[in-house]
Amino acid sequence: MRLSRYFLPTLKENPADAQIVSHRLMLRAGMIKQSSAGIYSWLPMGFKVLRKIENIVHEEQQRAGHIPMLMPTLQSADLWRKSGRYDAYGPEMLRIKDRHDREMLYGPTNEELITDMVANFVGSYKSLPLTLYHVQWKFRDEVRPRFGVMRGREFLMKDGYNFDLNKEDALHAYNRHLVTYLRTYERMGLQAIPMRADSGPIGGDYTHEFLVLADTGESEVFYDSEITDLSFGDRAIDFNDKAACQSVMEEFTSRYARTDETHEEALFNKVPEERRRVARGIEVGQIFYFGTEYSEKLGAMVQNEDGQRVPLHMGSHGIGVSRLLGAIIEASHDDNGIIWPEGVTPFHCGIVNLKQGDDAADAACDALYDSLTALGLDPLYDDRKERAGGKFATMDLIGLPWRITVGPRGLKNGVVEVTSRRTGESEEMTPELAIAKIAAIYEGV
Ligand code: 5CA
């Protein structure tokens, strides 16, 4: 993409109404525009990152054998009456009437809709196990929408639902989700720690929240610092292997890590003092196992191997897709702007032309741009007639992890400069080597 032809409405000044750094930077980098409280338009660059995050979520879900689909945003109140949540949900639910005076709602989550669907189509244990998921907009009429996309009213969520014959299989689904989430967040450059949590209005006994440590997080968390040494990495795991999933799950959940809702001081005090940490975190996902409650209320029954009709064991599993943009920026920025992890960056690298209009510089930039694009990479070429300082400031603000700087002086010696946004370190090299370096960085990302 050439910046002169893109739509990147950056702001020079810090917006007064944005209290936390990720919100400020998303506004300044021209990624989002508020349309009303807690509701945002996703401008092209914000939308690009949103899609990248969503794609990682899809890839990791499907790697675990979960099946994508799409349910509507608007739901009928009837199913929610059956589950008992129509009244219980309270003012956070946006209730709407259609022209026939039928009661509708903008879905805050989808347990009812999917359980009803499965009740309609699944009648035998032979169709199990089954995990369906979608990535869809939700609406929760939060009392205090704030921090930009972190606590929106309209937000994008991955929500998945497992349907199993018995508790053992459903707990395998729970463990499987925990494991796939570890890899999902790591691919986004995040360390998200699974912590024992409270199940809230979703219900159920088993639940973990995934928290990214950040001073601006809304949750207070308590954990054993050994947890932060763990990483899932690129281990291969067979998601059908119950024991393998269970062992990873235990590795990541056996140490003390809890949100304030489940915190127990006496237990925490058993952690050696030098490893006890009290911090703040951003909740980027939550998984639940809640047994047969919804399937009983909504009639999701199957015949088991003995021919008896039994209710399905269920769980649900959410990832805050739009919130993740804020969480990633909170975890990865400096005074000059965002620092995107390679896995989610909107463009793979920037090309800065120090002297637009200089024949040699223009030709070298065009050639770099074409070669990178031909390799399947996605560079952002700053081809504006602007001062070099302004171009650098824009690149730093929008946070592309790599920058190639091209100027007449370097070109006389046959070199361009490659700079890491994270370390600020620059290296001079030929354009060919610069292309090879960028291509190598993104191999396998
Ligand atoms: N049905 C279950 C799991 S599918 C569910 O709704 N879980 S949840 O309530 O925990 O939401 C899942 C994730 O959505 C949360 O972990 C959080 O990351 C994100 N989320 C929740 N509320 C908001 C909000 N107001 N703005 C942005 N993201 C949110």
Side-chain angles (χ1 to χ4, degrees):
M1 180 57 65
R2 286 165 190 271
L3 190 45
S4 64
R5 296 191 203 147
Y6 199 44
F7 183 63
L8 186 70
T10 56
L11 307 175
K12 288 226 161 55
E13 303 301 322
N14 263 330
D17 53 335
Q19 297 164 34
I20 62 170
V21 67
S22 57
H23 188 194
R24 275 201 296 278
L25 287 174
M26 286 183 79
L27 292 169
R28 283 195 50 211
M31 297 176 69
I32 50 169
K33 163 93 175 69
Q34 181 172 302
S35 73
S36 58
I39 302 179
Y40 291 87
S41 290
W42 292 80
L43 305 183
M45 206 180 69
F47 181 59
K48 259 187 130 186
V49 181
L50 188 70
R51 277 281 179 267
K52 287 219 166 168
I53 291 174
E54 196 183 328
N55 285 342
I56 292 177
V57 169
H58 274 294
E59 282 173 20
E60 294 306 325
Q61 285 301 304
Q62 289 170 48
R63 196 202 291 272
H66 306 158
I67 304 168
M69 61 175 299
L70 187 60
M71 289 176 271
T73 52
L74 292 182
Q75 306 182 22
S76 148
D78 297 348
L79 287 175
W80 287 72
R81 289 222 166 79
K82 278 195 195 167
S83 75
R85 286 207 294 182
Y86 190 62
D87 294 325
Y89 221 96
E92 265 192 24
M93 181 185 274
L94 180 64
R95 297 155 207 258
I96 307 159
K97 275 196 180 152
D98 72 7
R99 66 198 296 166
H100 304 294
D101 235 20
R102 280 189 287 248
E103 288 176 298
M104 314 278 293
L105 57 100
Y106 195 124
T109 175
N110 283 59
E111 280 82 1
E112 283 76 0
L113 207 59
I114 192 124
T115 310
D116 179 63
M117 199 194 76
V118 168
N120 266 277
F121 293 119
V122 177
S124 156
Y125 72 94
K126 290 179 191 151
S127 308
L128 307 176
L130 178 64
T131 295
L132 298 162
Y133 78 92
H134 71 163
V135 178
Q136 177 62 292
W137 294 94
K138 304 288 184 288
F139 195 94
R140 293 183 187 172
D141 204 350
E142 303 273 353
V143 201
R144 275 211 299 160
R146 56 185 183 152
F147 301 158
V149 301
M150 290 274 221
R151 185 161 294 281
R153 292 199 297 165
E154 187 185 47
F155 59 96
L156 192 59
M157 192 202 285
K158 183 290 285 192
D159 43 322
Y161 305 86
N162 69 286
F163 298 90
D164 287 283
L165 185 59
N166 53 45
K167 182 169 178 178
E168 185 199 323
D169 288 356
L171 287 180
H172 172 53
Y174 185 88
N175 297 346
R176 202 172 60 229
H177 278 87
L178 194 134
V179 175
T180 106
Y181 279 23
L182 294 171
R183 194 205 297 267
T184 302
Y185 296 119
E186 281 186 18
R187 282 188 62 189
M188 300 172 191
L190 286 176
Q191 179 169 47
I193 304 171
M195 300 200 180
R196 179 102 66 93
D198 183 61
S199 62
I202 308 279
D205 305 330
Y206 291 78
T207 179
H208 279 89
E209 281 180 10
F210 285 76
L211 286 114
V212 172
L213 298 174
D215 294 340
T216 47
E218 290 187 287
S219 320
E220 188 169 35
V221 296
F222 303 80
Y223 63 95
D224 176 341
S225 66
E226 271 191 0
I227 276 187
T228 52
D229 299 335
L230 298 174
S231 94
F232 185 78
D234 53 6
R235 24 183 140 171
I237 181 151
D238 174 0
F239 284 101
N240 295 318
D241 183 340
K242 286 184 179 168
C245 290
Q246 169 118 25
S247 107
V248 176
M249 135 105 189
E250 279 165 6
E251 178 188 343
F252 282 84
T253 59
S254 58
R255 293 174 185 77
Y256 193 93
R258 296 196 181 188
T259 62
D260 50 2
E261 291 151 342
T262 55
H263 177 59
E264 288 177 63
E265 198 64 29
L267 265 182
F268 188 46
N269 286 338
K270 291 190 179 149
V271 177
E273 195 174 355
E274 69 280 6
R275 299 202 326 240
R276 267 178 245 154
R277 298 283 185 281
V278 181
R280 303 200 70 81
I282 302 166
E283 180 205 325
V284 291
Q286 186 163 8
I287 57 175
F288 304 87
Y289 161 69
F290 41 68
T292 57
E293 189 190 329
Y294 289 92
S295 32
E296 280 175 38
K297 286 182 175 148
L298 294 156
M301 315 283 283
V302 290
Q303 284 210 330
N304 67 13
E305 279 165 298
D306 305 326
Q308 293 162 325
R309 269 169 66 77
V310 293
L312 289 167
H313 283 256
M314 285 180 63
S316 71
H317 321 274
I319 292 183
V321 174
S322 50
R323 174 178 287 183
L324 273 163
L325 276 95
I328 292 168
I329 297 173
E330 289 296 327
S332 185
H333 67 269
D334 64 14
D335 290 346
N336 298 327
I338 303 167
I339 307 174
W340 290 115
E342 271 92 2
V344 298
T345 183
F347 296 95
H348 293 121
C349 64
I351 302 173
V352 169
N353 187 342
L354 291 177
K355 200 162 184 201
Q356 206 69 43
D358 175 273
D359 286 346
D362 291 2
C365 287
D366 284 342
L368 269 173
Y369 184 85
D370 290 344
S371 305
L372 288 163
T373 309
L375 289 171
L377 292 162
D378 186 11
L380 179 68
Y381 170 22
D382 191 345
D383 60 345
R384 297 170 304 163
K385 276 207 151 52
E386 268 228 18
R387 286 181 313 107
K391 291 189 175 186
F392 289 146
T394 300
M395 282 295 169
D396 283 352
L397 173 65
I398 68 173
L400 310 184
W402 298 93
R403 187 184 81 208
I404 308 179
T405 310
V406 181
R409 212 176 306 156
L411 286 176
K412 278 198 187 119
N413 301 321
V415 295
V416 297
E417 193 182 62
V418 178
T419 307
S420 154
R421 174 70 182 83
R422 191 168 291 280
T423 65
E425 280 163 24
S426 291
E427 252 187 291
E428 287 193 336
M429 58 188 84
T430 63
E432 292 69 33
L433 280 177
I435 294 163
K437 180 178 169 103
I438 302 290
I441 287 164
Y442 286 101
E443 215 159 276
V445 167

